[in-house]
């Protein structure tokens, strides 16, 4: 079996930069004496590209394929298909991250609980610069709710959405999953409905969480009309992609108290512009595209990636018996 030569291009974010121990474990997971190299610079990466069987990157340029005659796998930890704008040659397979649910589901559940019990809406009320009541017990009493008996709707009921639903269900909430091709999933949802029924679902949800990818079909899926259809006092969460929302319409809905709040991890433009109407919208809680951050991010990714690469490499080396 030929030697697997794998190249990982570093990222500026620490959580995406593997340690030497992680690189060694990754090589062991790939097996067959795999040669894994970590590159800190693009120049170093390009120098190793001609011998690479597989590369692990956050970005890749179309012209780089010409430098990589032995390349068979273009891999990224990112789940979204919008990270690459390249057309790989026929011999190169694309691999995306499929491990994020374990991390993002916990982040989303934390936001859900914090909103439902008033921890986020009132977290700063008692600070001198909080602008609210100095002892807001009555306000919290009126807003705090257990998840039991509430309805949580999940737009984008794929790997991440199902992981989130599986965490929510034990709290006694009614979970509705929404996806293009619905199928029963009793461990993660009470019902799974087609995306065509979104207008019927919106008035039912106390919490509406999205894990949808970007694309023409999700462009401003939640605009002014649909935001107005949401249940009064509902919370909105977006952990998918920022193209989902009409951000001005959401800011307006929050200002008139049509919604109880929103937790947003992704935005139409990132970083979020300083003049975005979301920055001063009431009860709008903003995260910098960070819902998947965790110390074991790359451990989870490398375990999945190594299994895929090991399997496809073995298949490519097997004699064709027909």
């Amino acid at each position: 079996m030929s030697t697997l030569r794998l190249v990982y291009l570093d990222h500026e974010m620490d959580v995406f930069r593997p340690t030497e121990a992680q690189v060694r474990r990754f090589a062991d997971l790939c097996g067959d004496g795999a040669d894994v190299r970590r590159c800190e610079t693009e120049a170093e990466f390009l120098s190793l590209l001609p011998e690479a069987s597989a590369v692990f990157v956050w970005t890749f340029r179309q012209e780089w394929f010409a430098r990589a005659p032995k390349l068979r796998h273009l891999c990224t930890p990112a789940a979204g298909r919008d990270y690459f704008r390249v057309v790989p040659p026929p011999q190169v397979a694309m691999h995306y991250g499929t491990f994020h649910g374990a991390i993002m589901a916990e982040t989303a559940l934390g936001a859900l609980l914090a909103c439902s019990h008033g921890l986020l809406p009132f977290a700063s009320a008692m600070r001198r610069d909080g602008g609210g009541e100095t002892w807001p017990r009555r306000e919290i009493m009126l807003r705090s709710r257990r998840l039991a008996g509430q309805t949580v709707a999940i737009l984008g009921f794929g790997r991440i959405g199902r992981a989130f639903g599986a965490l929510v269900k034990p709290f006694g909430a009614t979970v509705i999953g929404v996806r293009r091709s619905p199928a029963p999933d009793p461990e993660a949802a009470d019902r799974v409905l087609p995306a065509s029924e979104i207008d019927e679902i919106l008035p039912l949800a106390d919490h509406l969480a999205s894990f949808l990818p970007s694309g023409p079909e999700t462009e401003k899926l939640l605009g002014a009309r649909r935001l107005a259809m949401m249940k009064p006092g509902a919370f909105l969460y977006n952990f998918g992609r920022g193209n989902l929302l009409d951000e001005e319409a959401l800011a307006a809905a929050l200002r008139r108290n049509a919604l109880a709040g929103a937790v947003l991890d992704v935005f139409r433009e990132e970083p979020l512009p300083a003049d975005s109407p979301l920055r001063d919208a009431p009860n709008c809680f903003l995260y910098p595209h960070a819902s998947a951050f965790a110390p074991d991010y790359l451990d989870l990714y490398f375990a999945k990636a190594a299994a895929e690469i090991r399997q496809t490499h073995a298949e490519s080396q097997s004699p064709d018996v027909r």
Side-chain angles (χ1 to χ4, degrees):
M1 201 178 264
S2 64
T3 300
L4 262 172
R5 291 184 170 84
L6 305 101
V7 181
Y8 184 92
L9 178 58
D10 256 353
H11 193 280
E12 61 183 11
M13 298 290 292
D14 290 343
V15 73
F16 302 141
R17 302 186 65 169
T19 64
E20 292 304 320
Q22 284 177 314
V23 171
R24 288 194 298 271
R25 285 198 298 270
F26 183 37
D28 290 341
L29 287 170
C30 289
D32 302 311
D35 179 20
V36 180
R37 304 290 184 88
R38 170 191 168 192
C39 300
E40 296 187 7
T41 67
E42 184 178 299
E44 184 184 2
F45 174 78
L46 293 177
S47 72
L48 295 176
L49 197 51
E51 295 299 317
S53 310
V55 295
F56 300 81
V57 292
W58 290 92
T59 184
F60 198 88
R61 299 177 189 169
Q62 188 69 38
E63 60 268 22
W64 289 353
F65 287 114
R67 296 171 174 253
K70 299 180 181 180
L71 186 64
R72 296 296 178 267
H73 305 280
L74 176 55
C75 313
T76 178
R81 271 49 174 173
D82 50 341
Y83 269 83
F84 286 99
R85 304 295 184 188
V86 297
V87 179
Q91 72 273 17
V92 178
M94 293 283 297
H95 303 269
Y96 295 90
T98 59
F99 63 96
H100 301 81
I103 306 172
M104 292 178 64
E106 289 191 8
T107 304
L109 177 64
L112 191 74
L113 289 168
C115 286
S116 193
H117 286 273
L119 299 179
L120 270 180
F122 293 97
S124 301
M126 292 172 63
R127 289 175 53 88
R128 289 189 180 90
D129 58 353
E133 295 290 333
T134 57
W135 196 245
R137 296 187 74 201
R138 178 175 175 78
E139 288 78 2
I140 293 177
M141 178 189 71
L142 294 173
R143 290 279 294 275
S144 184
R145 295 176 289 172
R146 294 180 59 216
L147 283 184
Q150 296 193 62
T151 297
V152 179
I154 304 171
L155 305 182
F157 203 62
R159 290 185 180 91
I160 301 172
R162 292 199 305 272
F164 175 57
L167 290 185
V168 172
K169 265 186 68 70
F171 285 88
T174 297
V175 178
I176 303 174
V178 182
R179 59 179 302 166
R180 281 179 294 187
S181 302
D185 194 339
E187 292 187 3
D190 296 280
R191 289 184 289 164
V192 183
L193 302 175
S196 59
E197 296 188 23
I198 186 173
D199 286 358
E200 288 72 38
I201 295 165
L202 293 176
L204 305 176
D206 298 289
H207 303 270
L208 179 67
S210 175
F211 300 93
L212 287 167
S214 64
E217 67 278 9
T218 60
E219 178 64 24
K220 289 190 178 180
L221 183 68
L222 296 182
R225 181 182 71 84
R226 285 199 168 112
L227 289 172
M229 296 174 68
M230 289 182 64
K231 188 174 184 177
F235 287 94
L236 172 65
Y237 312 80
N238 190 13
F239 296 99
R241 286 292 183 264
N243 74 310
L244 174 85
L245 286 166
D246 181 331
E247 294 178 347
E248 291 189 0
L250 174 59
L254 290 169
R255 289 194 186 96
R256 64 175 182 269
N257 295 317
L259 299 176
V263 177
L264 308 177
D265 183 54
V266 288
F267 308 94
R268 185 165 295 275
E269 182 181 344
E270 296 182 2
L272 185 67
D275 61 352
S276 168
L278 297 172
R279 287 191 178 270
D280 57 6
N283 292 322
C284 191
F285 307 102
L286 310 175
Y287 293 179
H289 202 147
S291 64
F293 287 177
D296 59 345
Y297 181 98
L298 286 178
D299 293 308
L300 293 170
Y301 172 56
F302 285 153
K304 291 270 191 179
E308 286 187 21
I309 296 298
R310 191 171 58 244
Q311 179 181 347
T312 54
H313 184 65
E315 291 172 352
S316 70
Q317 301 296 307
S318 299
D320 186 9
V321 285
R322 282 183 278 190

